[in-house]
Amino acid sequence: MNYRIALGLALFSLSTASFASSLCQEKEQDIQREISYAEKHNNQSRINGLNKALREVKANCSDDKLRADHQRKIAEQKEEIAERRRDLAEAKEKGDADKVAKREQKLQEAQNELKALESRDY
């Protein structure tokens, strides 16, 4: 029975995905897909959290707010990259090869996260 419900929700989400006219609607659809996945795996605590998130989005979401939040995340990630660069420079200055390698990896991870953020449609 749960499988049929999850399948129905998944199909509904897929059928409506192409008709999303706003970022908030897309966000609602993403949450619905996650709920379907959680139902498929009988993860009730995840379902409860996602239903709460869905109610919040429906009550408070605006496309302008989503865009502003996204720009804030990008700015924060750029600050993270700057901090990682400072850490790397400090490690290079000390000549600790192990720390240099770790700092380079952290910097690369931060840069990859920024690329992922910038590639989103917000």
Side-chain angles (χ1 to χ4, degrees), residues 5-34:
I5 292 170
L7 179 61
L9 286 173
L11 291 174
F12 174 75
S13 294
L14 290 173
S15 68
T16 59
S18 61
F19 298 112
S21 61
S22 76
L23 296 173
C24 290
Q25 288 174 331
E26 288 177 29
K27 189 166 183 122
E28 286 179 31
Q29 291 170 0
D30 289 342
I31 294 170
Q32 287 288 0
R33 276 191 290 280
E34 288 293 319

Side-chain angles (χ1 to χ4, degrees), residues 85-121:
R85 285 189 175 133
R86 287 189 296 272
D87 291 346
L88 176 58
E90 185 179 302
K92 284 181 177 180
E93 197 174 284
K94 291 180 180 178
D96 186 338
D98 187 44
K99 281 190 178 184
V100 168
K102 287 179 184 178
R103 300 296 191 260
E104 285 175 341
Q105 181 181 353
K106 294 255 186 202
L107 175 58
Q108 186 62 48
E109 289 170 1
Q111 289 171 332
N112 290 342
E113 189 171 329
L114 177 61
K115 286 179 188 175
L117 282 169
E118 289 176 334
S119 71
R120 293 189 187 139
D121 291 338

Side-chain angles (χ1 to χ4, degrees), residues 53-102:
L54 184 60
R55 286 190 302 274
E56 292 287 324
V57 167
K58 287 181 177 183
N60 301 313
C61 188
S62 78
D63 288 355
D64 290 339
K65 183 179 178 193
L66 280 178
R67 284 187 192 96
D69 287 346
H70 187 68
Q71 290 304 313
R72 179 188 49 78
K73 288 177 187 176
I74 287 173
E76 288 173 358
Q77 193 60 33
K78 287 180 179 179
E79 285 294 321
E80 175 78 14
I81 288 171
E83 181 179 333
R84 297 292 179 203
R85 285 189 175 133
R86 287 189 296 272
D87 291 346
L88 176 58
E90 185 179 302
K92 284 181 177 180
E93 197 174 284
K94 291 180 180 178
D96 186 338
D98 187 44
K99 281 190 178 184
V100 168
K102 287 179 184 178

